[in-house]
Amino acid sequence: MERKHMSAYSLYRNLSSEPSPAAKKPSPQVTGKKKKKSNGVVHHSNSEDSGAKKRKIHNKPTKTPTKVALKPDHSPKDQEEQEDQEEQAADRNESLESLLKELSGVNNSRDRASRLFQWLISPIPAKAFFRETWEKKPIIVQRQNPSYYKGLFSTAEFDRILRQEEVHYGVNLDVTSYTRGKRQTHNPPGRALPYSVWDFYDSGCSLRLLNPQAFSSSVWNVLSILQEHFGSMAGANVYLTPPGTQGFAPHYDDIEAFIVQLEGKKHWRVYRPRSEDEVLPVVSSPNFSQADIGEPILEVVLEAGDLLYFPRGFIHQGDCLPEHHSMHITISSYQKNSWGDLLLKMVPAALEIAMEEDVEYRQGLPLDYLSYMGVQNSDKEDDPRRGKFMSRVEGLMKKLAQYAPVDAAVDLKARSFMHDCLPPVLSPEEVACTVLGAPARWHRGRTLEVGSPITAQTKIRLVRAACARLCSDGDVVSLYYTTNNSRVYHKDELKSLEVQVENTDAIEYIIHSYPKFVSVESVPMDSTEDKIALVESLFERGIIQTEPL
């Protein structure tokens, strides 16, 4: 491809007025409230979808997208005054680093997760978002504050990762282009080094960093908190796109997507699902052509500090303006987290139970059922045997609900979530109260301070509300936990601790006591020795912390 553009990282380095990343801490706006000088202006789009060829159309159209723009109540006299006001506003607001530090002091990790999600979508109230927007329609927040998400990720961080980490094409990084209606991937084999990566970028290719949480502590921290708010894995990809280009074809995804614009600008078009079959889809779509998708219901240019949300099933595409590169991070959740996914785990188990306990499910099929059932007999609608057969199936299906092991199926989903989870990010104060901060060490030829800090008087609690889950798998009760998970998705096996049945009340007591600290002595077990042994096993795995002194 013809070289036309300076790389985003070159642009970053050539901004002589910007201090180096080490010299300047990011200072984004962080607020759970609207600024006093701003108000929310909502605009509605009523575009119709005209691209549903040979497909059934919605009887109930998807709700129109909402645009939330933050605008000053009074216009500044000139551009210089406006820029001064924006700079002063940014200085008054916390950085992401400050917010995360503040949140680390919040006693309950569930409250911490709620507050971080509110920051992500501010000024939209979280309750209103889940009531009116979640899984229903797109929404845009235009903040006119380029520093709002600053500190989450940047081109400088991208370059650092390429230089210092083991990034491999096709595993951690994709190089893509979309020209003349054709999407292409250009991944060579091997490690992705700056020399080749930035050359691809200068040639007009987009860069997608997969699972940036494996390399970026800020992204790891944010996602590890948000996953507790969603009760489902929170993932992310970073996209860096050169000016005047597009990296991906129109498509829809199987996740709820939060597009967080970090740098530059990007032009987005979002389209309704083409049919009822594609509303909240189970899997992502193939690439579409423009003729497949009709007219957009939403078209917007995102600038740094803006947010775009759209549900799974909404087709989307983004391209860069000629004068601006773009970097955004897509934060995602709710992949395979539907009622149907729960029933996929529940129904087979319900059938096993029903066949064990109810003779009706064990009775034999009619001798001649093959002569009137099946595809080859589906046109025999006037055969009364077909109606009788279908009625019997319907009755067995209705009756099956009483055998459904709902809690066990939920625990199967929970086990998958525990495996998907990132490990929690602990503050220095928390580390000092966990096994990671235990003082045992080797010093001048001998060991020092070896031994458990756990006594009957020690007060303990879980390190996070959702870091451990007690589940039963037949005759075995296990405690699954996330504290030793890898930042790389499913790099390690799911971690668990087998629990004796007589100790389940004690584990439940510790789980349900969160966020309170409780004494080891208060744990409901027969002997103090057994209480200490159980708590020590949890402490050794990083599941609990002791109360700070």
Side-chain angles (χ1 to χ4, degrees):
M1 296 184 185
E2 181 182 356
R3 296 172 181 269
K4 293 182 179 179
H5 310 296
M6 180 181 291
S7 74
Y9 185 62
S10 298
L11 291 170
Y12 167 84
R13 290 185 300 174
N14 289 339
L15 293 175
S16 57
S17 61
E18 287 282 321
S20 67
K24 178 182 178 183
K25 294 183 179 180
S27 56
Q29 173 190 357
V30 179
T31 176
K33 302 178 180 179
K34 297 179 185 178
K35 290 189 289 185
K36 290 183 179 179
K37 291 186 178 181
S38 300
N39 60 358
V41 181
V42 180
H43 305 279
H44 295 284
S45 170
N46 294 311
S47 302
E48 295 296 330
D49 181 2
S50 60
K53 296 183 179 179
K54 298 182 181 180
R55 294 175 180 269
K56 56 186 179 182
I57 305 299
H58 290 294
N59 293 324
K60 296 180 180 179
T62 309
K63 292 184 178 180
T64 54
T66 300
K67 180 177 180 181
V68 179
L70 304 185
K71 298 180 179 180
D73 288 336
H74 59 279
S75 299
K77 294 180 180 179
D78 53 32
Q79 183 66 26
E80 183 178 352
E81 182 179 345
Q82 180 178 354
E83 290 175 354
D84 288 343
Q85 289 181 357
E86 290 176 353
E87 184 177 350
Q88 292 169 10
D91 290 340
R92 286 195 299 270
N93 287 304
E94 299 174 285
S95 67
L96 175 59
E97 180 182 4
S98 298
L99 173 65
L100 292 174
K101 185 175 181 180
E102 177 188 335
L103 291 179
S104 70
V106 174
N107 188 46
N108 190 327
S109 63
R110 295 188 186 96
D111 295 340
R112 189 179 309 164
S114 296
R115 286 179 57 177
L116 185 62
F117 181 75
Q118 183 59 75
W119 167 82
L120 178 72
I121 65 168
S122 179
I124 304 166
K127 288 184 178 179
F129 172 82
F130 284 108
R131 182 179 64 249
E132 300 167 6
T133 305
W134 177 254
E135 294 188 328
K136 297 182 181 71
K137 63 179 181 179
I139 195 167
I140 312 161
V141 178
Q142 294 177 298
R143 293 193 174 88
Q144 299 183 340
N145 181 0
S147 295
Y148 191 82
Y149 293 117
K150 194 172 183 181
L152 181 54
F153 201 83
S154 66
T155 47
E157 177 75 352
F158 201 161
D159 187 76
R160 180 200 67 76
I161 290 168
L162 293 174
R163 295 179 185 282
Q164 298 179 6
E165 305 285 354
E166 287 282 338
V167 177
H168 289 265
Y169 290 108
V171 178
N172 314 111
L173 184 72
D174 284 328
V175 179
T176 68
S177 64
Y178 180 72
T179 55
R180 299 181 181 89
K182 185 178 180 180
R183 150 78 191 279
Q184 290 182 293
T185 301
H186 308 280
N187 293 337
R191 182 177 172 184
L193 293 168
Y195 176 83
S196 60
V197 171
W198 293 123
D199 186 60
F200 275 123
Y201 178 89
D202 276 350
S203 298
C205 292
S206 291
L207 308 174
R208 175 171 64 181
L209 182 64
L210 307 171
N211 298 315
Q213 58 270 26
F215 307 107
S216 166
S217 58
S218 294
V219 177
W220 170 29
N221 201 350
V222 167
L223 296 184
S224 71
I225 295 173
L226 288 177
Q227 68 191 6
E228 196 160 335
H229 187 70
F230 291 121
S232 176
M233 184 186 79
N237 288 328
V238 169
Y239 297 82
L240 180 59
T241 309
T245 69
Q246 181 170 335
F248 294 86
H251 66 283
Y252 62 73
D253 295 312
D254 60 346
I255 47 89
E256 300 299 298
F258 297 85
I259 309 298
V260 175
Q261 190 70 24
L262 301 172
E263 296 178 9
K265 299 181 180 182
K266 199 162 197 176
H267 169 233
W268 284 92
R269 285 167 286 174
V270 181
Y271 309 76
R272 280 196 180 96
R274 300 179 303 167
S275 71
E276 289 286 354
D277 295 339
E278 294 180 356
V279 174
L280 304 179
V282 177
V283 296
S284 297
S285 74
N287 294 331
F288 295 124
S289 68
Q290 293 297 144
D292 293 330
I293 57 179
E295 295 299 319
I297 59 166
L298 181 156
E299 188 166 3
V300 67
V301 174
L302 291 188
E303 301 186 14
D306 292 349
L307 174 76
L308 167 63
Y309 159 81
F310 46 80
R312 53 196 190 277
F314 277 76
I315 300 167
H316 53 278
Q317 60 180 325
D319 59 276
C320 273
L321 304 179
E323 305 85 8
H324 300 277
H325 80 285
S326 168
M327 172 173 275
H328 78 266
I329 185 169
T330 298
I331 295 175
S332 62
S333 191
Y334 258 58
Q335 186 179 51
K336 299 188 184 304
N337 203 44
S338 67
W339 284 101
D341 291 300
L342 177 63
L343 290 171
L344 282 173
K345 297 182 180 296
M346 187 186 303
V347 172
L351 276 171
E352 288 187 15
I353 296 170
M355 291 181 72
E356 287 179 4
E357 299 184 5
D358 191 331
V359 68
E360 190 175 1
Y361 289 88
R362 302 197 298 271
Q363 291 173 346
L365 292 163
L367 290 174
D368 58 347
Y369 81 102
L370 293 177
S371 67
Y372 57 85
M373 297 304 299
V375 173
Q376 71 180 39
N377 301 307
S378 59
D379 291 335
K380 298 180 179 180
E381 297 178 358
D382 56 345
D383 191 328
R385 295 175 299 174
R386 285 183 61 84
K388 185 177 179 181
F389 190 95
M390 294 301 293
S391 294
R392 182 69 181 274
V393 170
E394 184 178 351
L396 290 172
M397 291 297 292
K398 288 182 178 179
K399 192 176 180 182
L400 188 64
Q402 64 184 283
Y403 299 106
V406 180
D407 285 328
V410 168
D411 281 346
L412 287 175
K413 286 288 295 172
R415 284 173 56 183
S416 297
F417 172 50
M418 300 299 282
H419 195 194
D420 294 341
C421 274
L422 287 162
V425 178
L426 303 182
S427 69
E429 293 76 17
E430 289 175 321
V431 168
C433 298
T434 68
V435 67
L436 299 174
R441 63 192 184 279
W442 178 267
H443 182 69
R444 295 183 178 180
R446 63 192 182 96
T447 57
L448 294 178
E449 299 190 63
V450 175
S452 172
I454 306 299
T455 69
Q457 287 72 45
T458 304
K459 290 192 173 183
I460 54 97
R461 75 169 188 183
L462 298 178
V463 295
R464 295 289 184 272
C467 76
R469 177 86 185 192
L470 192 65
C471 300
S472 176
D473 184 10
D475 297 329
V476 178
V477 179
S478 298
L479 182 70
Y480 296 92
Y481 56 96
T482 67
T483 51
N484 289 335
N485 281 5
S486 171
R487 289 163 64 178
V488 177
Y489 179 70
H490 285 191
K491 180 181 179 181
D492 301 324
E493 295 297 320
L494 177 61
K495 306 294 191 303
S496 66
L497 169 67
E498 188 172 334
V499 178
Q500 300 298 318
V501 174
E502 59 269 23
N503 293 340
T504 56
D505 286 346
I507 296 291
E508 289 178 358
Y509 170 77
I510 294 171
I511 290 173
H512 295 151
S513 294
Y514 185 88
K516 293 191 304 181
F517 285 90
V518 294
S519 69
V520 174
E521 186 60 44
S522 69
V523 174
M525 296 178 71
D526 291 336
S527 73
T528 299
E529 186 177 282
D530 289 342
K531 297 175 184 182
I532 292 174
L534 176 66
V535 170
E536 282 180 344
S537 68
L538 303 179
F539 183 78
E540 289 169 2
R541 290 164 175 81
I543 299 170
I544 63 170
Q545 67 174 92
T546 58
E547 187 175 36
L549 298 176

